[in-house]
Amino acid sequence: MARILVVDDAKFMRLTLTKILEEANHEVVSEAENGKDAVELYNSLKPDLVTMDVTMPEMNGLDAVREIKKDHPDALIIMCSAMGQQKMVVEAISAGAKDYIVKPFDESRVIEAVNRVLG
């Protein structure tokens, strides 16, 4: 079981991911709706894993990944992107994300990515 921070500006997406993760016996320790909050929550909670949306207000997912990885190079982050954001995904992996999942979420793909990243 992993402690996971779910980051997405859409409440529905956070609820969907939380449900998938909790059904797989993971604990969602907190949620954030923008990259700025995600960085602050990461620093205070030190979760085992973060699911990070790409497009968000205040600070996007790419900048949040860079910010988290700067202080926590071992941070495990999975990017979540809508279809057609391949360029963003490549940038996210370059910034330090370990994997990505595409919206709308496929439950088995989410669990597979989480398990692979957690090792």
Side-chain angles (χ1 to χ4, degrees):
M1 179 175 102
R3 298 170 63 256
I4 301 175
L5 171 61
V6 174
V7 185
D8 198 300
D9 59 328
K11 184 161 183 59
F12 173 75
M13 287 298 177
R14 294 196 308 270
L15 287 171
T16 303
L17 259 182
T18 295
K19 182 175 176 286
I20 292 170
L21 295 166
E22 287 178 345
E23 284 177 0
N25 295 318
H26 294 293
E27 178 190 359
V28 174
V29 291
S30 194
E31 297 178 2
E33 56 187 34
N34 61 61
K36 184 175 164 289
D37 290 349
V39 173
E40 289 170 11
L41 283 167
Y42 189 93
N43 288 332
S44 63
L45 296 171
K46 307 282 190 298
D48 301 319
L49 180 73
V50 180
T51 63
M52 180 82 69
D53 186 20
V54 174
T55 308
M56 294 180 291
E58 286 196 55
M59 179 189 285
N60 69 39
L62 293 173
D63 290 340
V65 168
R66 289 185 189 106
E67 197 65 30
I68 290 170
K69 294 295 274 187
K70 189 170 66 182
D71 294 329
H72 308 278
D74 297 337
L76 300 177
I77 303 169
I78 296 175
M79 296 305 292
C80 304
S81 72
M83 292 297 264
Q85 290 183 314
Q86 282 84 354
K87 182 177 176 287
M88 293 281 210
V89 169
V90 170
E91 277 186 59
I93 300 294
S94 300
K98 299 293 183 197
D99 202 345
Y100 70 95
I101 44 183
V102 176
K103 299 175 187 177
F105 298 121
D106 173 278
E107 198 168 326
S108 60
R109 172 69 183 114
V110 171
I111 298 308
E112 182 241 319
V114 167
N115 290 339
R116 186 158 31 107
V117 170
L118 288 170

